[in-house]
Amino acid sequence: MKIRFFLSLTCLLTVSFATFSQELVGLEVIADNLVSPVAFVESPDESGRYFIVDQVGVIRIHTPQKGLLEEPFLNLKNKIVELKDAHEERGLLGLAFHPDYRENGRFFVYYSAPLSQNGPENWDHTSHISEFRVSPDNPNMADKASEKIIMKVDQPQDNHNAGTLAFGPDNYLYIALGDGGGANDIDMGHVPDWYGENAGGNGQDVKQNLLGSILRIDVNGDAPYDIPDDNPFVDKEGMDEIYAYGLRNPYRFSFDMKGNNDLIAGDAGQVLWEEISVITKGGNYGWSVKEGTHCFNAYNNDKEREDCPKEDKMGNPLIDPVIELKQGSVDDGGKAVVVIGGYVYRGEDLKNMDGKYIFGAWTQHHGKPAGAVFVSTPKETGMWDFQELKIAQTNSTSIGHYLLSFGQNKEGEMFLLTTDEDGPVGNTGKVFKMVSGK
């Protein structure tokens, strides 16, 4: 997803948004000349450095003093699969610093490696969750030789890889995995589950693979990882790593910095509905029995089933999202071509926005860089209302670029990661900070 604002590194974008109170919000260019920036994380020390994950296989550092450093913090181009020039969901996808990074120098990445030697025949690739350490001699350089692969997950297709890594308030590592790709959760490598009407279903399966789930693991022991004692399937029928399931492609999730530290995920839909869900331990989020709040039909995916189960065979309810968007181009009445999960805003630059959930759309027009940003007020029960943020200068809701991801710094301020290309090519990738337009 890409953007072409042709601005210098330090200029303030005059494009503005109207919030609920009609306050203007601008976008300030933080970094540009990237390829496909997909994740943004502030270092958990007092350096003020921002680490930007570029899908093509590099992590770049932005410092307060020098801006974007030329030398990558970590270069994994020789470890990831060869990426397509067109729409591509593989690559270097996630980064999480250990909460004690300042003392131990440990961090974790998610990348798409070639299919492992033991991978099933004709499958596409293998997702790696790996630990690295920072160089003892240079805080702006990782020790590439320190890699310790802590988890491998074989992927049947090249899409629906999810990709977020994040440490929760419990200091456990959370990992987002999509359903393995293809369409309708019924392709090769999508195992039969309990719901016979849709034959297949990694999203609903908790016994045969980890796909279609958010995982939670403990990386603080001597083993590559341990299982938290209170994970929902410990001592029960199901894979111990799974924290929540019934997900299609929860590409981006985040924890609220305050309040109850809610875990909120954006889950990409098939053809009718996009959704945002509050993720709870042991929760089943319905895919592929449901798409959003609607009964899904794997054999005619643009027509809903008249009815479907309300719970799985274990008695767990199928949890509805808190936000549902009509999938597709605005020209066809849609709101989002792929929802992009965001963050609960906890900064001070955007007045009257504290506690509101900001999320987005990759684009609102098929084949065009026309991402959009939405804002919603969380509620204790029921669906959350939301509205698009309007660009005042053009009287449009489009940001003019593909929206790849959001970021948040330690102060709770928000960042947008964008591109103008529909694949990981070129150099139109940029990172913007959301700032007051006044």
Side-chain angles (χ1 to χ4, degrees), residues 268-279:
Q270 183 67 59
V271 297
L272 293 179
W273 302 101
E274 303 285 325
E275 60 188 273
I276 301 286
S277 292
V278 176
I279 304 297

Side-chain angles (χ1 to χ4, degrees), residues 9 29 69 147 155 169 188 219 232 283 331 333 338 348 367 408:
L9 185 63
V29 178
L69 302 184
E147 181 178 16
Q155 301 278 357
M188 175 190 67
V219 294
D331 299 325
V338 185
E348 297 182 356
Q408 188 173 48

Side-chain angles (χ1 to χ4, degrees), residues 113-305:
L115 187 64
S116 64
Q117 288 185 342
N118 297 324
E121 186 177 1
N122 296 324
W123 282 33
D124 187 79
H125 69 282
T126 299
S127 295
H128 283 200
I129 312 300
S130 285
E131 175 188 328
F132 288 87
R133 293 180 183 262
V134 68
S135 167
D137 303 318
N138 183 354
N140 290 330
M141 186 68 64
D143 179 3
K144 189 174 179 179
S146 69
E147 181 178 16
K148 180 173 71 173
I149 300 172
I150 65 170
M151 181 182 291
K152 293 182 179 182
V153 181
D154 295 326
Q155 301 278 357
Q157 286 86 40
D158 65 3
N159 57 341
H160 302 183
N161 300 307
T164 299
L165 299 181
F167 281 90
D170 52 14
N171 289 337
Y172 294 135
L173 181 62
Y174 290 72
I175 303 165
L177 292 177
D179 69 5
N184 307 318
D185 206 4
I186 59 174
D187 210 335
M188 175 190 67
H190 295 249
V191 300
D193 63 21
W194 59 271
Y195 184 54
E197 283 78 356
N198 291 342
N202 289 336
Q204 287 300 307
D205 171 69
V206 296
K207 301 176 184 177
Q208 301 171 76
N209 61 53
L210 298 172
L211 298 173
S213 305
I214 290 177
L215 315 181
R216 181 174 72 156
I217 60 174
D218 182 355
V219 294
N220 296 305
D222 295 329
Y225 68 87
D226 296 307
I227 302 296
D229 291 339
D230 64 338
N231 269 15
F233 293 106
V234 171
D235 297 327
K236 297 179 182 178
E237 197 171 13
M239 301 187 76
D240 290 350
E241 292 89 345
I242 294 174
Y243 181 79
Y245 59 106
L247 297 159
R248 184 174 181 269
N249 192 31
Y251 165 63
R252 287 293 172 249
F253 70 77
S254 66
F255 289 93
D256 185 358
M257 298 172 65
K258 297 182 180 179
N260 296 322
N261 302 125
D262 285 339
L263 170 53
I264 306 175
D267 195 11
Q270 183 67 59
V271 297
L272 293 179
W273 302 101
E274 303 285 325
E275 60 188 273
I276 301 286
S277 292
V278 176
I279 304 297
T280 57
K281 184 173 64 177
N284 181 346
Y285 292 85
W287 177 255
S288 60
V289 180
K290 300 178 74 174
E291 183 184 24
T293 63
H294 307 264
C295 296
F296 180 69
N297 186 344
Y299 303 103
N300 190 1
N301 61 25
D302 61 356
K303 186 176 179 59
E304 301 170 13
R305 289 187 181 275

Side-chain angles (χ1 to χ4, degrees), residues 263-427:
L263 170 53
I264 306 175
D267 195 11
Q270 183 67 59
V271 297
L272 293 179
W273 302 101
E274 303 285 325
E275 60 188 273
I276 301 286
S277 292
V278 176
I279 304 297
T280 57
K281 184 173 64 177
N284 181 346
Y285 292 85
W287 177 255
S288 60
V289 180
K290 300 178 74 174
E291 183 184 24
T293 63
H294 307 264
C295 296
F296 180 69
N297 186 344
Y299 303 103
N300 190 1
N301 61 25
D302 61 356
K303 186 176 179 59
E304 301 170 13
R305 289 187 181 275
E306 292 184 1
D307 56 51
C308 57
K310 293 182 172 58
E311 61 182 35
D312 64 24
K313 72 173 185 177
M314 295 178 286
N316 297 319
L318 305 184
I319 301 172
D320 283 341
V322 294
I323 297 173
E324 184 177 81
L325 300 89
K326 185 72 175 69
Q327 204 275 347
S329 169
V330 294
D331 299 325
D332 301 319
K335 283 287 188 181
V337 181
V338 185
V339 69
I340 304 295
Y343 292 83
V344 176
Y345 182 76
R346 295 299 185 182
E348 297 182 356
D349 287 355
L350 308 180
K351 305 302 180 185
N352 305 315
M353 295 284 278
D354 181 60
K356 299 187 186 302
Y357 181 70
I358 297 174
F359 65 105
W362 176 57
T363 186
Q364 290 190 313
H365 293 274
H366 289 287
K368 296 180 181 179
V373 179
F374 303 86
V375 62
S376 176
T377 302
K379 300 193 307 186
E380 289 294 328
T381 59
M383 301 288 282
W384 300 356
D385 296 328
F386 68 93
Q387 71 176 52
E388 297 171 60
L389 296 178
K390 191 175 183 181
I391 300 175
Q393 185 183 37
T394 60
N395 196 34
S396 168
T397 57
S398 171
I399 64 171
H401 315 284
Y402 291 108
L403 175 61
L404 290 171
S405 189
F406 290 89
Q408 188 173 48
N409 66 12
K410 292 192 296 183
E411 285 73 41
E413 302 299 344
M414 294 275 294
F415 298 78
L416 273 62
L417 283 63
T418 67
T419 180
D420 290 339
E421 307 292 335
D422 65 358
V425 295
N427 62 351

